[in-house]
Structures are given as C-alpha cells and as structure tokens.
Amino acid sequence: MEQRKTLQQIQQEVDDYISQFKEGYFSPLSMMARMTEEVGELAREINHYYGEKPKKQEEGEKTIEEELGDVFFIVLCFANSLGISLEEAFDRIMHKFYTRDKDRWTRIEE
C-alpha cells in the first residue's frame, strides 16, 4: 500500500511544480479570482448532481471530485504564495472548534 502524503509534502509538491515556471505564483488578488472561479465550477457541478439544473447536452462531463481537486490546488497555491503552512492553519482551526465551538452543535448520543 502506498504511504499517504502529509499536507506539508503536498504543499511542497505543488511548490516544486509551480517553481519550474518563470511566472511562478499569481498575485494574491489573481489567486482570489482563480479561487472564486474554481468554487463557482464546483457549485455548478453540485447543482447538476443535487440541484434542479440539468447539464446541457454539449457540456462536458466533470465530477465533483475533479472540481474539489481544483479548489484544493488553488488553496495550496494561495497558501504557498503567502508562506502559510496549511498544517499549522488546520491545527489552529481545529483548536478553535474543540474549544470555542465545543458546545455549538448537538452531539450524537453514544
């Protein structure tokens, strides 16, 4: 079985990929526009699968998995371009959920 990559390794792989091009990472404003575009494409696929908007016959087949992958990639690029460790960001957000938001939701009874 193949060993899973850590988030740090994933960020490094994206950085290695982007670093081979002269253009490098986009500016933060362009990155935000790209992220918005990708989230819109994800929303469109969700609407096709779960909403009331069927695909047009000429529309190509895309999957929610593919669109989530695109969103994930741009998040990785955004974090890398700003020098943000997503592992550290994840740890911080989970700490917030475990502390500040610990009683916000109804727990499943055991």
Side-chain angles (χ1 to χ4, degrees):
M1 185 168 106
E2 186 179 332
Q3 186 175 358
R4 298 279 181 181
K5 296 174 187 173
T6 66
L7 194 45
Q8 182 180 11
Q9 290 169 324
I10 291 169
Q11 278 191 258
Q12 185 61 56
E13 185 174 342
V14 168
D15 193 58
D16 291 345
Y17 175 76
I18 296 295
S19 294
Q20 67 182 325
F21 304 109
K22 289 180 183 180
E23 294 81 3
Y25 291 106
F26 294 150
S27 70
L29 190 56
S30 292
M31 203 84 69
M32 190 67 225
R34 286 282 319 275
M35 186 181 304
T36 302
E37 177 186 338
E38 295 299 349
V39 169
E41 290 175 12
L42 173 61
R44 184 178 182 88
E45 285 306 305
I46 295 287
N47 199 19
H48 288 319
Y49 281 92
Y50 300 105
E52 289 72 39
K53 185 179 180 184
K55 281 191 179 221
K56 298 175 187 172
Q57 283 186 317
E58 66 272 9
E59 283 186 285
E61 188 61 36
K62 289 192 175 180
T63 65
I64 293 170
E65 178 182 13
E66 183 179 349
E67 296 303 339
L68 277 171
D70 288 345
V71 170
F72 186 48
F73 183 79
I74 195 66
V75 167
L76 291 160
C77 288
F78 212 158
N80 285 353
S81 73
L82 297 174
I84 295 170
S85 163
L86 287 173
E87 284 184 344
E88 291 175 16
F90 176 78
D91 288 343
R92 276 194 220 95
I93 195 72
M94 289 310 296
H95 176 74
K96 181 175 76 173
F97 283 116
Y98 289 134
T99 55
R100 186 192 77 186
D101 295 342
K102 66 180 170 53
D103 296 322
R104 180 175 283 197
W105 311 109
T106 306
R107 296 201 181 266
I108 298 172
E109 301 298 323
E110 293 186 33

